[in-house]
Amino acid sequence: MTRFRTVLSLLLAASALTGASVLVPATASAAVVAAVQPTRVLDTRNGIGGTSGMVSPGAVVRVAIAPAASAGASAVVLNLTATNGDSAGWVKAWSCSDPTPETSVVNFPANRTAANAVILKYDSAGVCMSTSSPVHLVADLTGWFVGQSDFTGTVPGRLLDTRTSGDSLDADVERRVPVAGREGISAQATFVALNLTVVGPSTAGWLVAYPCGQPSTSSTVTFSAFETVANLSLVGLGQGDVCVRASTEVALVVDAYGYSTGQGALRVASPSRLLDTRNTSQWPSGAAESGDIINLRVAGRGGVPNDADSVVVTLTIIDPTTDGFVTAWPCDQPAPTTSTINTWPGARRSNLGLVKLAVTAGTICIRYQSSQYNARTNIVVDAVGWSTGGPARTAPTGVGTLTPAPEPPPVGLPPMGTVLWSEDFSSPTGMNRLVKHIAFGDNVVNGAPMQTFNGDHDHNCGSPATTRRLVENYQVSTHFWYCAPGGDAAKGHFMTGIN
């Protein structure tokens, strides 16, 4: 029996990076999904994966993925992130056994962090990557396929490029894209992995891809005006074709990365909306406030069976007002300190995720965290597939629940600033020092005095008042004092910070 191994996506929020979901091996006899920490296989900022420093145009980064190789993987799932680039550009990724493709998988704006999931066929030659402009690359192994019952990776192949054909998509007009039997895709394929890239639209909007004959009101790629934005998706085929529709006129590039004949545990259907915080009749709480946790019921909704083990979702953020990030994880697991999508003012971004469902509740949790405690953003979640093999559950009774963010900081406490250093009683065994890997600022370089604020030194969350919650974004490094409940025995509170 072939099996599909995955890992729950936990990208380091400490680096303000985004990530796709991660799953890990099932037992050898059953195609089930279990959530674990992801495996970082490349980080050019610190030399993980054997490459250190900005990746220059024309250079090829080769990455060997030992865990996947040991498992005999035929395809790997990576979350590929571009960060710290001074100019806009793109990233390509492919099996090193194949020629360099013309297709790109990540498009990044200048001075922003952007990521996209990618599925690549894999062998002993490893995975190769290149970029069009200097940028740091981070790759997390988020899963792999063994055998070909669930997925067969192919050489990246272009199915559509309206820039060369001269026939951009018209607003709200369906376009049929033949897929089966083209670019290495089997004529018997039931769903495909497609990277859909929207190029320089004149207005913000969205695009949806779905099996022809099964129209959807969900979205696959969400974009801002004049940006080039890519998003990977798993899309079912209708009579061998995929249909696409956009809210505005757009140039579109469609690249295929593999397919499935539907004989394994992974299933794909027409996208179905699970949550839209703009729809207050469905979600009265409205846009997510920084620190809110949305407990979203998935099992038994949007076409996902009540006994699904994991869900494949497109997670979208729309028009945030500040820098921040969004994280998704199974609600019966501890909240990770990682991100799935990074946000910036006015951004419209989507990312594909495969997230383990909470065993009993059938939920996933979604949290937005911003550099400002009261900032808000709208969040949209669309189901595109699931894996089988989960437990029987009680039928859903609603969309889900909201765990509100902590109360805003009380009036009269010291102003916030950029954190350069802090002490952290994060465990009963002692202190961990968190030295931020950021420039210490002109005030330090020039010898000017720094402002120092003392926190809760009596270990009891008492005097002086330190009830402000902690929200740290490692790009912006905004700091709030925090005092965890439990007093001295629990530790877990920030004690001193230097701004």
Side-chain angles (χ1 to χ4, degrees):
M1 173 182 289
T2 52
R3 58 194 175 95
F4 175 43
R5 175 171 175 148
T6 56
V7 191
L8 174 66
S9 168
L10 300 177
L11 286 181
L12 223 48
S15 304
L17 297 180
T18 63
S21 307
V22 179
L23 299 180
V24 292
T27 62
S29 59
V32 298
V33 178
V36 299
Q37 292 274 344
T39 302
R40 183 145 292 177
V41 296
L42 175 71
D43 191 335
T44 64
R45 300 168 303 172
N46 54 29
I48 293 176
T51 301
S52 183
M54 286 271 194
V55 179
S56 301
V60 175
V61 176
R62 184 185 296 262
V63 183
I65 305 175
S70 298
S74 57
V76 292
V77 186
L78 299 174
N79 191 71
L80 183 57
T81 302
T83 188
N84 297 335
D86 291 333
S87 59
W90 47 255
V91 180
K92 293 181 178 181
W94 68 97
S95 169
C96 296
S97 296
D98 298 324
T100 304
E102 61 176 323
T103 63
S104 62
V105 293
V106 181
N107 294 84
F108 55 90
N111 303 310
R112 298 293 186 187
T113 296
N116 194 15
V118 62
I119 304 175
L120 302 172
K121 72 173 188 175
Y122 188 78
D123 59 28
S124 59
V127 169
C128 284
M129 304 171 193
S130 66
T131 180
S132 64
S133 60
V135 72
H136 277 298
L137 295 180
V138 179
D140 287 270
L141 176 66
T142 63
W144 62 78
F145 299 89
V146 177
Q148 299 189 2
S149 292
D150 284 297
F151 188 82
T152 300
T154 62
V155 176
R158 184 141 292 174
L159 298 171
L160 176 69
D161 188 341
T162 66
R163 298 171 302 175
T164 58
S165 62
D167 57 344
S168 296
L169 272 65
D170 292 326
D172 206 31
V173 176
E174 182 180 85
R175 175 73 60 87
R176 195 176 190 103
V177 182
V179 176
R182 299 179 59 205
E183 299 296 339
I185 305 299
S186 169
Q188 283 73 49
T190 58
F191 66 84
V192 291
L194 298 180
N195 200 58
L196 300 109
T197 305
V198 172
V199 182
S202 59
T203 60
W206 51 262
L207 177 143
V208 61
Y210 50 90
C212 290
Q214 302 176 40
S216 171
T217 57
S218 296
S219 62
T220 305
V221 187
T222 304
F223 47 86
S224 300
F226 307 113
E227 280 195 325
T228 296
V229 181
N231 197 44
L232 181 77
S233 189
L234 298 177
V235 187
L237 298 181
Q239 297 181 334
D241 298 343
V242 165
C243 282
V244 293
R245 182 171 53 87
S247 63
T248 186
E249 182 180 358
V250 293
L252 177 65
V253 179
V254 181
D255 300 311
Y257 281 79
Y259 67 93
S260 175
T261 56
Q263 299 174 9
L266 197 60
R267 301 286 187 268
V268 169
S270 185
S272 179
R273 184 138 297 174
L274 299 173
L275 173 71
D276 187 341
T277 61
R278 298 169 300 179
N279 181 359
T280 55
S281 64
Q282 180 205 51
W283 190 254
S285 300
E289 181 176 330
S290 180
D292 284 352
I293 298 177
I294 296 171
N295 309 275
L296 181 65
R297 175 66 187 233
V298 174
R301 299 183 59 236
V304 179
N306 210 28
D307 60 354
D309 185 68
S310 64
V311 63
V312 183
V313 295
T314 298
L315 180 62
T316 301
I317 55 97
I318 299 176
D319 297 336
T321 57
T322 65
D323 292 337
F325 58 91
V326 176
T327 302
W329 74 96
C331 291
D332 58 358
Q333 300 295 318
T337 55
T338 59
S339 61
T340 303
I341 300 178
N342 284 80
T343 71
W344 58 86
R348 294 187 171 211
R349 289 276 165 160
S350 303
N351 204 5
L352 186 73
L354 176 54
V355 186
K356 176 80 171 175
L357 297 180
V359 174
T360 302
T363 55
I364 64 173
C365 278
I366 301 165
R367 181 178 59 198
Y368 167 56
Q369 290 189 273
S370 167
S371 57
Q372 295 181 9
Y373 73 88
N374 60 349
R376 288 179 174 269
T377 190
N378 280 300
I379 297 175
V380 177
V381 183
D382 296 305
V384 298
W386 64 90
S387 67
T388 61
R393 298 182 177 95
T394 303
T397 57
V399 176
T401 60
L402 180 73
T403 302
E407 289 298 315
V411 176
L413 292 179
M416 296 172 292
T418 300
V419 173
L420 302 181
W421 179 84
S422 62
E423 297 172 343
D424 168 30
F425 284 81
S426 58
S427 70
T429 59
M431 180 181 74
N432 295 320
R433 290 191 174 191
L434 304 180
V435 180
K436 303 297 186 287
H437 296 284
I438 60 176
F440 271 44
D442 291 340
N443 63 328
V444 178
V445 174
N446 297 331
M450 294 181 292
Q451 293 179 331
T452 301
F453 301 136
N454 291 324
D456 174 39
H457 284 268
D458 67 4
H459 293 191
N460 288 312
C461 295
S463 178
T466 53
T467 57
R468 288 188 291 179
R469 59 194 174 87
L470 174 69
V471 178
E472 291 205 41
N473 176 296
Y474 280 64
Q475 284 179 326
V476 181
S477 295
T478 299
H479 182 77
F480 295 76
W481 292 109
Y482 176 73
C483 194
D488 185 53
K491 310 297 184 184
H493 63 280
F494 267 71
M495 182 176 177
T496 302
I498 297 176
N499 290 4

